[in-house]
Amino acid sequence: MNSTAAVVSPAADAPPGKEQQAAGVGILLQISMLVLSFVLGHVLRRHRFYYLPEASASLLIGLLVGGLANISNTEANIRTWFNFHEEFFFLFLLPPIIFQSGFSLSPKPFFSNFGAIVTFAIFGTFIAAIVTGILVYLGGLTFLMYKLPFVECLMFGALISATDPVTVLSIFQELGTDVNLYALVFGESVLNDAMAISLYRTMSSVRSNTSSGQNFFLIIVQFLETFVGSMSSGVGVGFISALLFKYAALDIENLHNLESCLFVLFPYFSYMLAEGLGLSGIVSILFTGIVMKHYTYSNLSENSQRFASSFFHLISSLAETFVFIYMGFDIAMEEHSWSHIGFIFFSIIFIVIARAANVFSCAYLVNLVRPINRKIPMKHQKALWYSGLRGAMAFALALQSVHELPEGHGKTIFSTTTAIVVLTVLLIGGSTGTMLERLEVVGDGHNNELLSYEEHHDGYVAPTYEEGASSESNLKTKLKEFHKTATSFTELDKNYLTPFFTSQTDDDDLDFGGSSHQSRRGGFYDL
């Protein structure tokens, strides 16, 4: 069965109403699996059974039901409702997940670690993709594994470098870990998707055009265009939404529905605008979420604030759970090429090596320019290396490779990616709790991240100028410059951006990022 068909085609000789009945059965099975997944996830969390996280349980449910459907006499028109369409994933399931990530983000840990996050997400992902591609190519040359052309090896390296640590982050939240570690893992996973997609598309175009003169510069230029353009698009849409809600006077009782509807539409507008312009909708909607939470959210009425927070949390939870069920079912139903076991085995080893090269080299570079009390400790580097799960993004790109590459090559890459996704989600996801305890990075209380952020002194939280305890004058100079930069942005935000984009009053100095639904009008760094 081909799981990548773009549309559901009714059988020509199907009796009237047969397709509608099949659709009803397919949707009923999907809803049943969602219900089962949420109930099972709740039971596992309640009993603190971290060896089977909710994402892993959802994937297993999809695999189990898909396997039963595959060996049973289930009708093809019912099976078609479970086909994993990459277009459906990128256009409908991914946007609410990414927006909620930006919308719920506490900006102070994220932005104080932004340089490190960008280093891991851009330079680190590039390292991981190139190292994986070269090792796979060398493995083919030495007859350790199935041989692929060099450009196709780089395509595989790019798609398999997309991390998706949903399972790890959920356990981070449950156990409570350092806010900076959480910010690094989360920030890298979101931004590295854009890098992985850009690298994959660039390698695909290089393969199609067979031009190798400016490959390296083409990759760099294309990614910078994609990232900067997408970020600008997302920030611009966020600012426009803030001005609209500030001056449209929608925060009156009889317009609450209109206010909520418009707020919900802006994130999708940002995502589709970027995709329509050939940019990255992921990066665009992420920054839209950050800007809308900081500026637009405070212009909403109290009822609309409650609705927005609950609504995006709800649909992102549904989308995340459905993605893993959807992926598990399709993995069980898809025809795989298991004839090249060596390719799968050595690819797993190579991505472990590439992940280590990514994390430890980037951490070394980041620590070179950081003062002593802001260096990333080794235990956090190990946790970051361990958090490199592969998920739906790699799976969706692997599905695209089936269309773009010769049949044997595409099938081999897809089967290998499938095996890596299942192994990392189940094995690494299930052992994350044990890993965190062994590394002694639990118990810092992510749920109380604002308090712990202010009081935590043994990590690498951004210090103030007076707290820069380095004895070397060059580090003090760097710390002064860092403090001046942060202070200038804080002043810009407080004195110009926040008053311009929000309905600020003198007594509106409530915290941004707390649990209150009142208007939050403070600077990014006033936490």
Side-chain angles (χ1 to χ4, degrees):
M1 186 189 72
N2 182 9
S3 69
T4 57
V7 294
V8 178
S9 300
D13 55 349
K18 188 69 174 179
E19 290 300 319
Q20 184 175 354
Q21 180 184 6
V25 173
I27 295 174
L28 176 63
L29 285 175
Q30 292 173 347
I31 294 175
S32 300
M33 287 191 290
L34 277 172
V35 172
L36 178 60
S37 179
F38 280 118
V39 172
L40 180 60
H42 170 70
V43 172
L44 293 172
R45 285 197 307 271
R46 185 174 180 180
H47 291 85
R48 297 184 178 276
F49 188 78
Y50 299 120
Y51 297 103
L52 186 63
E54 188 173 350
S56 302
S58 302
L59 183 66
L60 282 177
I61 290 172
L63 286 169
L64 178 62
V65 176
L68 293 175
N70 202 24
I71 62 177
S72 66
N73 195 23
T74 306
E75 297 182 16
N77 52 3
I78 295 178
R79 294 185 184 190
T80 309
W81 280 89
F82 293 91
N83 293 346
F84 190 101
H85 307 305
E86 52 267 39
E87 296 89 355
F88 179 65
F89 169 74
F90 282 113
L91 296 179
F92 295 101
L93 294 179
L94 194 59
I97 297 174
I98 301 300
F99 178 79
Q100 174 63 15
S101 298
F103 192 70
S104 62
L105 177 68
S106 184
K108 191 169 185 178
F110 181 82
F111 283 104
S112 87
N113 291 285
F114 189 72
I117 290 171
V118 170
T119 302
F120 283 111
I122 299 178
F123 184 63
T125 303
F126 181 80
I127 291 176
I130 298 301
V131 170
T132 302
I134 291 176
L135 290 177
V136 170
Y137 182 69
L138 293 177
L141 289 179
T142 55
F143 303 102
L144 289 175
M145 55 200 300
Y146 184 67
K147 184 178 179 181
L148 294 176
F150 184 62
V151 176
E152 294 181 11
C153 291
L154 293 178
M155 290 175 65
F156 173 68
L159 71 88
I160 207 64
S161 298
T163 60
D164 186 17
V166 174
T167 301
V168 173
L169 291 176
S170 65
I171 296 176
F172 277 14
Q173 289 179 319
E174 291 288 332
L175 296 179
T177 188
D178 187 271
V179 292
N180 294 283
L181 176 60
Y182 185 93
L184 284 176
V185 174
F186 164 74
E188 186 226 355
S189 67
V190 173
L191 297 183
N192 107 306
D193 286 342
M195 182 65 175
I197 292 174
S198 178
L199 281 171
Y200 178 83
R201 290 176 178 174
T202 302
M203 295 302 176
S204 179
S205 64
V206 168
R207 177 185 174 274
S208 301
N209 299 329
T210 62
S211 59
S212 57
Q214 299 177 344
N215 290 350
F216 178 78
F217 295 103
L218 179 63
I219 293 171
I220 299 299
V221 171
Q222 180 173 344
F223 175 76
L224 290 177
E225 289 178 350
T226 300
F227 184 83
V228 175
S230 303
M231 181 177 66
S232 302
S233 172
V235 171
V237 170
F239 281 151
I240 291 173
S241 69
L243 292 176
L244 173 65
F245 286 97
K246 178 180 179 180
Y247 293 109
L250 298 175
D251 55 344
I252 55 179
E253 287 191 20
N254 59 341
L255 292 179
H256 285 170
N257 289 340
L258 175 60
E259 185 182 37
S260 299
C261 289
L262 288 175
F263 192 87
V264 169
L265 290 175
F266 266 100
Y268 265 101
F269 177 81
S270 172
Y271 188 92
M272 299 306 173
L273 175 64
E275 289 293 325
L277 295 175
L279 303 173
S280 172
I282 295 173
V283 175
S284 179
I285 200 171
L286 171 68
F287 282 93
T288 298
I290 294 172
V291 172
M292 289 186 70
K293 181 59 181 285
H294 185 59
Y295 299 108
T296 312
Y297 187 78
S298 62
N299 293 331
L300 299 177
S301 63
E302 185 177 344
N303 289 337
S304 295
Q305 286 180 351
R306 284 197 295 265
F307 169 80
S309 298
S310 301
F311 176 78
F312 286 112
H313 179 73
L314 169 65
I315 62 171
S316 67
S317 298
L318 283 171
E320 283 182 359
T321 304
F322 187 71
V323 161
F324 282 95
I325 294 175
Y326 198 31
M327 187 167 53
F329 193 95
D330 193 75
I331 289 173
M333 300 291 290
E334 179 61 55
E335 296 178 2
H336 296 281
S337 174
W338 302 116
S339 58
H340 303 293
I341 300 298
F343 191 92
I344 298 173
F345 176 76
F346 285 105
S347 293
I348 294 173
I349 296 176
F350 292 158
I351 67 169
V352 171
I353 296 173
R355 178 68 180 172
N358 169 358
V359 172
F360 296 115
S361 62
C362 289
Y364 176 77
L365 293 176
V366 170
N367 285 340
L368 282 179
V369 297
R370 282 189 166 190
I372 294 177
N373 61 335
R374 294 199 69 223
K375 292 185 183 298
I376 304 175
M378 180 54 67
K379 62 181 181 180
H380 286 187
Q381 296 178 37
K382 293 178 180 178
L384 190 61
W385 167 72
Y386 198 84
S387 303
L389 282 75
R390 271 58 176 183
M393 183 65 68
F395 185 80
L397 291 176
L399 272 180
Q400 289 186 0
S401 72
V402 174
H403 299 293
E404 298 174 359
L405 302 180
E407 183 176 355
H409 298 179
K411 282 288 186 181
T412 300
I413 289 177
F414 177 70
S415 299
T416 302
T417 304
T418 297
I420 292 172
V421 167
V422 173
L423 288 175
T424 56
V425 171
L426 296 183
L427 296 183
I428 297 180
S431 59
T432 298
T434 304
M435 177 270 297
L436 293 175
E437 292 173 355
R438 293 274 180 88
L439 294 176
E440 299 178 349
V441 293
V442 297
D444 292 326
H446 178 74
N447 291 332
N448 297 319
E449 62 181 12
L450 298 180
L451 179 60
S452 65
Y453 190 91
E454 294 293 339
E455 297 180 349
H456 187 68
H457 298 300
D458 58 349
Y460 46 102
V461 174
T464 61
Y465 166 56
E466 290 77 15
E467 291 171 338
S470 173
S471 60
E472 299 182 19
S473 59
N474 59 338
L475 290 181
K476 287 185 177 181
T477 302
K478 292 179 181 178
L479 207 54
K480 288 180 182 179
E481 293 174 355
F482 171 83
H483 178 68
K484 289 178 180 179
T485 302
T487 302
S488 62
F489 180 79
T490 303
E491 293 302 316
L492 174 66
D493 180 48
K494 289 179 62 176
N495 296 331
Y496 298 100
L497 296 180
T498 299
F500 183 75
F501 289 106
T502 66
S503 304
Q504 187 181 31
T505 58
D506 292 338
D507 56 349
D508 282 332
D509 56 354
L510 294 174
D511 223 8
F512 170 61
S515 59
S516 173
H517 292 289
Q518 302 295 328
S519 298
R520 294 153 194 175
R521 300 179 173 95
F524 271 122
Y525 296 90
D526 291 347
L527 300 184

